[in-house]
Every structure is written in structure tokens, then in C-alpha cells.
Amino acid sequence: MSYFKNVKIGLFLLFIVFVFTACGSIADESQTGSSDKNSYTLSISGSTSVGPLAEKLAAKYEEQSDIKIEINQIGSSAGITNAINGVSEIGMSSRDLKEEEKSSLTENIIAYDGIVVVTHPSNKVKDLTMEQVKQIFTGEVTNWKDLGGEDMEIVVVSREDGSGSRDAFQEIVGYSSGELVKSAIVASGNGNIKTTVAMNKHAVGFISFEYIDDSISTIDINGVEATAENVLQQKYKLSRPFLFVHKEENLSQEGQQFIDYILSSEGQGIVSEAGVIPLK
């Protein structure tokens, strides 16, 4: 009898251990689920010019918050449309909003940027007037010798339709998409323009300040160098704001807190470190 009694006691103890283990697992799962529910994913999409800066800011902010920030670089116009339609909570734009867009969206300037005309490093042309830039991109001038360079054809490299950089560049220089020289190479993104120009001694294109490196040569405009100081002093005319845009009813507390962080002294410090121009 004692043998069977011991077996029963052993089985009972095993059952108790099993119950406590199961309860512990359920509690852990409950806590995990609660943690997941408390996390928040902030969706941001738009400009490929603003995107690299936004990613640097997001990475730093995620270190001190419990939200996840997803950034999709798809172009300014697409990001603006996503913000209007509620596909993304925040849109990124490297051009000013159009009148019809302003009626739907609220904008925050998070930084300023210069647009730089760039050529192959071997190109001897280092300074152009705004009118000469227009003549190049509309095909009125087609040879570098007419601008003080070597006797070789000019290959124009531009951005794709919907690009905030292209819209801003065309508006400032003073020509429309229909006037862009028909032979122009159309490249998607600042990085692709830089690579194309760096590999072709005939080429000329335009990129954001933060993409400048030794692989390409920059052009002064009207004798003014492309620097942050010259942009803030409004001496360098090829410049534009970097915008975060949103619909008021779609902006979460988490989204507002991220914008506030970007506009803070810490956030603007990251802007400066990224090679973009802070607000002050």
C-alpha cells in the first residue's frame, strides 16, 4: 500500500509543478503581449533627399524611446500623397507644398538643404551663372567649350518625375519639365545621379548637399560657393527646405514627440552632423 501511496504523492507533486510552470508561461506570454501592445510603429515616407537625414534622426531617437520608426524613401510627391491618404503618418518633402496640398497638410521645416550642380572631377568649369545652368538643362548650350571648358558634349543628368529635388531645382533655375533637354539621362535618387556623373566626364547633374564627396566636383553659382553659411544668409540661391508633413487628425502623440525631438537642440545637432543645414 505504501508503494502505491508514494506513487500517488509523486504524481500529485508532478501535477503541481506542471500547473505552476504553465501559469508562469502564460504570465510571461501575457507580459510579452502587453509589451508588444505598448510599442508603436511610426510610418514615414517620401523624399530621397530627406530620407537619409530622417534615418539618422530615427536611429538616435529609437535608442531613447519605445517606438519603432519605419522610413520609406519613395520621392516627395509620393510621400505627400501618402500623408494625405493616411498611408503614412508623416510625409517627407524636399520641395515646398503646392497650394492644393497646403489645404490638407500641416508642414514642419526640419532643416534646410542646398542643391549643388555637380560635374566629373576632371571638368575645368567651376562657376556658372543661373542663366547658364538653365541653358545647359534646356539644351540651349550643348558643349562645355561654350562655358570655358573642353570641347566635348554636355550630358545632362536629371531626376525622375515626382522628385522633390527636381521640382525645386527646376523652379529655382526657371524651366519646366517639358523644357528639359530630351537627351537627358533620368536617374532615380541623389546617389544614382552622383554615381552617373562620377563615371562620365561629359556629365552634369544636381544633388543634395549631404551627398557631396570627392567623387564629383561642385559648381559655384553666380560666384557663390555652395555652403551652409551661404544658404542661411540667402546668398546661395539653389536651396530649399526639408519638410515633414502630416494631416492633423492622423498625427499621433508619438509622431508629435518625434517632430519635437528633431526640432530640439539635440535633434538639430544631428542635422548638422549629417551635413544638412540646421534651422539656426
Side-chain angles (χ1 to χ4, degrees):
M1 290 291 294
S2 60
Y3 171 80
F4 289 106
K5 183 178 180 179
N6 290 338
V7 170
K8 288 180 179 180
I9 292 172
L11 291 172
F12 177 76
L13 291 174
L14 285 172
F15 175 76
I16 295 297
V17 171
F18 172 80
V19 169
F20 275 104
T21 302
C23 289
S25 298
I26 292 171
D28 289 342
E29 290 176 6
S30 175
Q31 290 175 359
T32 301
S34 175
S35 176
D36 288 342
K37 289 179 182 178
N38 289 335
S39 64
Y40 185 84
T41 299
L42 176 61
S43 60
I44 301 175
S45 66
S47 169
T48 62
S49 295
V50 184
L53 171 61
E55 287 182 345
K56 291 181 177 69
L57 289 160
K60 198 68 177 179
Y61 187 68
E62 285 178 337
E63 293 176 0
Q64 52 189 273
S65 70
D66 60 354
I67 74 169
K68 177 178 175 57
I69 303 174
E70 292 183 348
I71 295 174
N72 189 11
Q73 300 183 44
I74 55 175
S76 293
S77 294
I80 290 169
T81 299
N82 279 353
I84 292 173
N85 294 335
V87 176
S88 298
E89 188 171 325
I90 295 174
M92 304 179 292
S93 178
S94 55
R95 65 165 172 80
D96 289 319
L97 293 178
K98 300 173 183 177
E99 287 304 317
E100 62 270 22
E101 295 167 343
K102 289 180 179 179
S103 63
S104 301
L105 297 170
T106 298
E107 67 177 49
N108 288 103
I109 299 175
I110 65 167
Y112 289 98
D113 181 48
I115 304 174
V116 191
V117 177
V118 294
T119 62
H120 189 272
S122 66
N123 198 316
K124 297 178 181 178
V125 177
K126 303 299 180 185
D127 188 9
L128 294 170
T129 66
M130 195 73 82
E131 180 60 26
Q132 287 173 322
V133 174
K134 179 180 178 180
Q135 291 171 342
I136 290 171
F137 281 83
T138 58
E140 186 177 341
V141 174
T142 59
N143 195 299
W144 284 110
K145 70 178 181 180
D146 297 325
L147 301 168
E150 295 181 20
D151 182 6
M152 60 181 181
E153 179 188 4
I154 297 174
V155 175
V156 171
V157 187
S158 184
R159 288 289 302 277
E160 75 284 4
D161 283 329
S163 158
S165 296
R166 173 170 169 169
D167 289 344
F169 182 79
Q170 291 180 172
E171 182 178 348
I172 297 169
V173 174
Y175 69 96
S176 66
S177 290
E179 294 176 294
L180 178 65
V181 61
K182 302 304 180 185
S183 60
I185 297 172
V186 176
S188 176
N190 286 275
N192 286 334
I193 283 191
K194 183 177 73 172
T195 300
T196 302
V197 172
M199 296 177 64
N200 187 336
K201 67 179 183 178
H202 296 259
V204 59
F206 54 89
I207 60 175
S208 175
F209 263 31
E210 60 191 308
Y211 285 85
I212 297 174
D213 61 27
D214 293 338
S215 68
I216 40 87
S217 178
T218 61
I219 300 290
D220 295 347
I221 303 297
N222 296 331
V224 180
E225 186 181 358
T227 66
E229 182 180 0
N230 285 337
V231 168
L232 289 176
Q233 293 180 358
Q234 299 185 343
K235 294 179 180 178
Y236 185 78
K237 301 304 181 183
L238 274 175
S239 61
R240 47 33 187 314
F242 275 180
L243 303 177
F244 266 19
V245 301
H246 65 272
K247 292 186 78 169
E248 286 292 345
E249 61 268 32
N250 292 342
L251 186 67
S252 64
Q253 180 180 351
E254 290 83 358
Q256 183 62 61
Q257 289 171 345
F258 182 48
I259 292 173
D260 292 342
Y261 171 76
I262 294 173
L263 300 179
S264 71
S265 57
E266 181 180 348
Q268 289 298 294
I270 296 171
V271 169
S272 181
E273 290 172 4
V276 190
I277 304 166
L279 299 179
K280 295 181 181 180

